[in-house]
Amino acid sequence: MSLPFMTADHDSDGPDPDMPLPHAEPDRWRRPYRPGPWRVGLAALALLLAAYMLISGMIIALAGPVAGARATFVLAAVTLVLALRMLRVGIWVSPRGLRRVGLLSTRTLRWREITRVRTVQQPVKWLGLPRGVQGQALVIERRRGEPLRPLLTDHNSDFLTRPEAFERAADVIEAWAAEHR
C-alpha cells in the first residue's frame, strides 16, 4: 500500500515546499524539513512496543496484581511520550528565532543572537552515535556565548540517505537566518 503523504518527495498540489512561509500563519513554529525514515521508523517501533505494553498491562490487570499492571501502564505511557517526542526532535524556525528541540530539552535562540548560519565540511556523528565520519554540518555562529554543536548533519536520522533533503533544509534555514537577522 502506497502512502505518498509519508514521503518527502511526493508530488503535492499545495504550496511550494521550499518557500519559508508555506502557509498564512507567520508566527507559528515550523520545521523546514520532514522527519527522516530512520527517525520515523524508530518512533514507529517504540509505538509498537508501547502498544504491546498496554495490552500486557491489561492482561496483568485482569489476571492478577494491580501493582504490576500499574507499573506496566506507566512504562507504556513513558514509552509513548518518548516516541511522540522523538518525532518532534529537530530544528524549528519562526520569525522570532530558531529552536532546537531535543529528546529531553529544547533551546531557543532569537535571531538577533545569531551572527551567521552556514554549512561546513567537518567530522560528524553517524546517527548520533560515537562513530565519526566526514560529512556536512549546518553550524550556527552566535554573537556571545559558547559555541553550539551542529544544528543539522547529513548523517543524522533525518538526512542519512537523503543528501538533497539536507541541502534543501540547510538552504531554507540559512534563508530564514538571513531574512530575520
Side-chain angles (χ1 to χ4, degrees):
M1 174 166 89
S2 176
L3 301 174
F5 58 88
M6 295 290 286
T7 62
D9 53 355
H10 75 284
D11 293 325
S12 68
D13 296 321
D16 182 15
D18 293 331
M19 288 186 55
L21 294 172
H23 47 76
E25 298 177 40
D27 290 334
R28 195 177 107 191
W29 288 95
R30 67 191 51 79
R31 182 179 7 208
Y33 58 91
R34 290 184 177 89
W38 289 89
R39 183 178 312 282
V40 173
L42 193 58
L45 287 174
L47 289 172
L48 184 65
L49 179 64
Y52 281 124
M53 286 191 283
L54 287 171
I55 290 171
S56 66
M58 185 180 66
I59 291 171
I60 292 170
L62 292 174
V66 176
R70 188 175 303 131
T72 306
F73 284 133
V74 167
L75 189 60
V78 168
T79 305
L80 182 67
V81 167
L82 285 175
L84 294 176
R85 181 70 179 184
M86 192 181 320
L87 291 173
R88 291 199 43 88
V89 167
I91 303 300
W92 297 74
V93 293
S94 85
R96 290 176 285 187
L98 182 126
R99 181 174 285 174
R100 169 187 258 146
V101 177
L103 189 60
L104 301 175
S105 67
T106 299
R107 184 169 187 175
T108 303
L109 292 171
R110 301 248 177 239
W111 289 118
R112 66 178 176 266
E113 298 174 27
I114 298 172
T115 305
R116 191 164 88 167
V117 178
R118 62 189 174 99
T119 304
V120 296
Q121 286 278 18
Q122 69 179 34
V124 296
K125 292 184 178 184
W126 183 76
L127 288 177
L129 299 172
R131 178 180 174 215
V133 296
Q134 189 65 24
Q136 292 185 4
L138 186 69
V139 296
I140 186 170
E141 295 176 7
R142 296 177 44 188
R143 294 195 193 282
R144 289 187 292 279
E146 74 281 352
L148 297 175
R149 61 176 213 243
L151 292 177
L152 300 173
T153 68
D154 61 347
H155 286 81
N156 70 5
S157 59
D158 288 323
F159 303 110
L160 184 60
T161 57
R162 307 174 335 156
E164 63 283 341
F166 172 78
E167 293 294 330
R168 195 170 38 244
D171 289 344
V172 169
I173 293 172
E174 287 173 2
W176 270 86
E179 180 181 339
H180 293 288
R181 264 185 294 154

